[in-house]
Amino acid sequence: MKVTLNTILAGICVLISLTILIGTGLVLGVQTDQNFYPAEPVPTPEQQIQQAIQAQQEPNLSTENSSEFGVYKNLGLIRASTMADPETQATALVIVKPWFSYEERDSAFQEELSSKRDLFNNLFLQFFSTHTAAQLRAMGEGQVKTQLLEAINKELVLGNIAAIYFEEYLFFD
């Protein structure tokens, strides 16, 4: 019996196919509870009635008096250099990743925020470049946010942002 290259390749293909079929069968055939969430229990009719009564008694939070807040996160990571320290002439690098919350109004205010993105970035750069690292640390993050909030709200026409948050706020000396 003569063994050719074609028969060897055919045998290898058959072995690979069998391995794949057996492996797939084992994986699909074995079901462990760790891969599945337990089913939620179905409430009894009495529990359903209690849930309906509670839902009627809870205040509706989506009334006209409540305000929805939006989030503006399109400023990205801002890298600013601080003013040089008068004694050492050393500057620091400030890395800040700000975002705003604002009372959600119409789409015109959202468009105003988007259109003034570069202006906001420049306000951050200007603010940090007019303070030394020691001054910024002495002010604290809260006062820095307050001053930046005032500067940004002065530039807005259709509304105001409610707060500034820093996802990152780092100094590199």
Side-chain angles (χ1 to χ4, degrees), residues 72-78 98-100 116-117 120-121 124:
Y72 181 77
K73 286 190 163 190
N74 293 342
L75 292 176
L77 196 65
I78 299 172
W99 58 279
F100 307 150
K116 293 187 175 180
R117 177 182 182 266
F120 298 150
N121 280 335
F124 276 88

Side-chain angles (χ1 to χ4, degrees), residues 69-112:
F69 282 90
V71 174
Y72 181 77
K73 286 190 163 190
N74 293 342
L75 292 176
L77 196 65
I78 299 172
R79 294 169 186 87
S81 182
T82 63
M83 184 172 73
D85 188 285
E87 296 173 5
T88 62
Q89 296 303 314
T91 63
L93 176 67
V94 178
I95 296 179
V96 63
K97 189 172 185 181
W99 58 279
F100 307 150
S101 68
Y102 59 93
E103 196 171 323
E104 208 165 34
R105 300 187 196 299
D106 57 8
S107 60
F109 182 64
Q110 294 169 358
E111 289 175 19
E112 180 184 16

Side-chain angles (χ1 to χ4, degrees), residues 142-159:
Q143 190 166 356
V144 168
K145 289 178 185 178
T146 301
Q147 289 183 17
L148 284 166
L149 179 72
E150 291 172 3
I152 290 171
N153 279 336
K154 285 180 185 176
E155 300 295 329
L156 295 171
V157 177
L158 300 176

